[in-house]
Amino acid sequence: MSNDAKRKVASVHSEDALVAAERILPLKRTLLALVRDRVALAGLIIVSVLVFIAVLAPVLSVQDPYDLAQLDIMDGRLPPSSTSMTGTVYLLGTDDQGRDLFSAIMYGLRTSILVGLVSAAIALVIGASIGLFSAYAGGRVDALLMRIVDIQLSFPAILVALIFLAILGQGVDKIIIALVVTQWAYYARTVRGSALVESRRAYTDAARSMALSDKRIIFRHILPNCVPPLIVVATMRVAYAIMLEATLSFLGIGLPVTEPSLGLLISNGFEYLLSGDYWISFFPGITLLMLIVGINLIGDALRDILNPRQEG
């Protein structure tokens, strides 16, 4: 290898190391600012507690709420802090099937968080890839892809999800697919807008002048600078996915009755609200509200922290 070639390779490696080092510092500053923000810290605490409860559901629950052998219909619709004939204390009461609400909520949290995170992650990968390709390709390809995005965004998300679930049927995998279809366009538009800005900056021109491949320029230079707005959108979309899943399950077309879900728990107790058995819907509803509010508090703080126009 000639000396010129060696210098060029060394220059590329040193430039990559410098870019990597420059990315670590903003990440530390972001995490520090997030912890120092009282509102964001409250959101982090709420979400962390709920995730902790969901992860330890098999340990903390007094019963498997979806094991019919553990249910006793005679314990149905017991109010909070009731004790069954066997001595079991139901902290949040039971539903009409004798299911411990606290246990059911913990298992429902597992499903809701899983569906929200997985659907948002898949939609992020698909949407970000399409947005990057659209911005870098430009021309007719960009125009065609953005028209598809516009068509997707012109329909209400719940209507699109209803159509897909009517075709695919019920199930965790089915509702994840439906949520991905309703969300990918948001990521595509966000990444495409950021990528268009970054592709015109000086560092991108410098990378092209060094004869770097398009793949290297896109994934090593343009994509990392699109991450801040992508993080904000992803946080908001996770909360929206959880809310949409709960809405679909409440309507009876999301998850089947054999799968725990906060929306399904709210739906199960809805008919008993007028009879005074408020706890069957109230506690799952409060849990869902806390989860969505906690995630949105984090997202709002991230939006302010990662805003390039925000001083300090």
Side-chain angles (χ1 to χ4, degrees), residues 122-197:
I122 297 174
L124 186 151
V125 172
I126 296 174
S129 301
I130 293 175
L132 277 174
F133 179 72
S134 178
Y136 203 78
R140 294 182 177 179
V141 174
D142 181 34
L144 175 62
L145 290 175
M146 286 304 103
R147 295 299 76 75
I148 296 175
V149 169
D150 291 338
I151 293 173
Q152 168 70 45
L153 295 178
S154 65
F155 291 97
I158 190 170
L159 177 61
V160 176
L162 284 171
I163 294 173
F164 270 83
L165 289 176
I167 297 173
L168 300 175
Q170 292 181 319
V172 174
D173 54 340
K174 310 296 193 308
I175 199 165
I176 287 176
I177 293 173
L179 293 176
V180 169
V181 172
T182 62
Q183 293 186 96
W184 70 269
Y186 295 94
Y187 298 103
R189 172 163 286 183
T190 300
V191 172
R192 186 249 184 186
S194 299
L196 285 176
V197 174

Side-chain angles (χ1 to χ4, degrees), residues 203-281:
Y203 73 87
T204 308
D205 294 334
R208 291 194 185 99
S209 67
M210 297 176 65
L212 298 180
S213 65
D214 290 344
K215 181 179 178 181
R216 188 182 185 88
I217 293 173
I218 291 173
F219 291 102
R220 294 284 295 176
H221 298 277
I222 295 179
L223 179 58
N225 289 285
C226 298
V227 168
L230 197 57
I231 291 175
V232 176
V233 173
T235 306
M236 298 296 187
R237 299 318 299 178
V238 168
Y240 183 79
I242 293 173
M243 183 176 64
L244 184 57
E245 178 275 320
T247 302
L248 294 169
S249 296
F250 179 83
L251 295 175
I253 56 174
L255 296 176
V257 294
T258 55
E259 295 287 347
S261 168
L262 293 178
L264 192 59
L265 292 175
I266 297 171
S267 177
N268 290 340
F270 186 73
E271 61 180 299
Y272 298 108
L273 287 177
L274 295 179
S275 63
D277 301 334
Y278 67 92
W279 58 88
I280 302 177
S281 286

Side-chain angles (χ1 to χ4, degrees), residues 48-90:
S48 299
V49 170
L50 292 177
V51 170
F52 177 79
I53 291 174
V55 171
L56 294 182
V59 178
L60 299 176
S61 60
V62 299
Q63 64 175 208
D64 183 348
Y66 292 90
D67 183 2
L68 297 180
Q70 299 185 30
L71 302 184
D72 187 353
I73 195 68
M74 299 300 294
D75 292 337
R77 298 165 63 181
L78 292 178
S81 301
S82 296
T83 304
S84 68
M85 298 294 294
T86 59
T88 303
V89 178
Y90 297 118

